[in-house]
């Protein structure tokens, strides 16, 4: 979920009952909402496929890799509610046979993956794992091309396009 939306919801809850005026929530564009739901569903399908591959790798004794998320804290009455309290690492973390650490970031895109599509905290995690001798991977589903690709993070073929260059249109 978008961190701005989460922060706005938390602020609204904090202001409820204080007498302060709550800011109006902007109306959501139905097309963007539908596109967001579709992207989430595609990503969930790709992650389910990756998780199945990781189960096979575990059964074969190759690696133990699990889906991870951001750090959370128990809150509320009896600690029954969970609240995100930080940024998470790459999507999957684990260890390969022989003890080598593994970090995998998974992305599902319609046609093209941009460097900017990978949040800085996930890039940092992949960089750190690779710098320490681990295996940092980028797994990408390109739906338009019906393609799955997995590349080493440091060898990902990023290109700088004219649009991305400063001062160019």
């Amino acid at each position: 979920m978008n961190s701005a939306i989460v922060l706005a919801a938390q602020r609204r809850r904090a202001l409820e009952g204080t007498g302060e005026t709550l800011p109006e929530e902007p109306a959501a564009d139905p097309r963007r909402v539908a596109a967001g739901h579709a992207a989430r569903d595609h990503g969930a399908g790709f992650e389910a496929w990756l998780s199945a591959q990781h189960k096979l790798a575990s059964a074969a004794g190759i690696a133990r890799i699990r889906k991870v998320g951001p750090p959370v804290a128990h809150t509320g009455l009896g600690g029954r509610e969970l609240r995100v309290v930080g940024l998470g690492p790459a999507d999957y973390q684990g260890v390969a046979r022989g003890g080598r650490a593994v970090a995998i970031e998974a992305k599902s895109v319609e046609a093209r993956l941009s460097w900017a599509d990978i949040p800085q905290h996930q890039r940092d995690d992949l960089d750190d794992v690779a710098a320490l001798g681990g295996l940092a991977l980028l797994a990408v589903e390109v739906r338009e091309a019906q393609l799955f690709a997995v590349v080493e993070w440091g060898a990902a073929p990023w290109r700088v396009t004219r649009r991305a260059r400063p001062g160019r249109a």
Side-chain angles (χ1 to χ4, degrees), residues 25-60:
E25 289 185 18
D29 179 350
R31 291 171 298 181
R32 291 191 73 184
V33 169
H37 289 304
R40 181 197 61 216
D41 293 344
H42 283 296
F46 181 49
E47 288 185 350
W49 180 81
L50 280 172
S51 292
Q53 303 310 305
H54 297 148
K55 283 182 184 179
L56 291 171
S58 181

Side-chain angles (χ1 to χ4, degrees), residues 59-141:
I62 297 168
R64 185 168 193 294
I65 299 169
R66 293 183 292 168
K67 173 87 170 106
V68 297
V72 295
H74 292 272
T75 62
L77 198 57
R80 289 186 223 154
E81 295 177 29
L82 291 178
R83 185 171 60 92
V84 174
V85 295
L87 299 173
D91 292 328
Y92 294 89
Q93 303 285 317
V95 62
R97 183 178 25 214
R100 189 174 185 196
V102 178
I104 305 168
E105 178 55 32
K107 294 295 180 199
S108 177
V109 295
E110 182 61 35
R112 175 179 232 147
L113 179 67
S114 167
W115 174 259
D117 292 334
I118 303 170
Q120 184 64 50
H121 65 279
Q122 292 174 331
R123 285 185 258 162
D124 291 344
D125 184 53
L126 294 166
D127 287 340
D128 291 347
V129 168
L132 291 169
L135 181 59
L137 301 171
L138 177 63
V140 182
E141 173 191 32

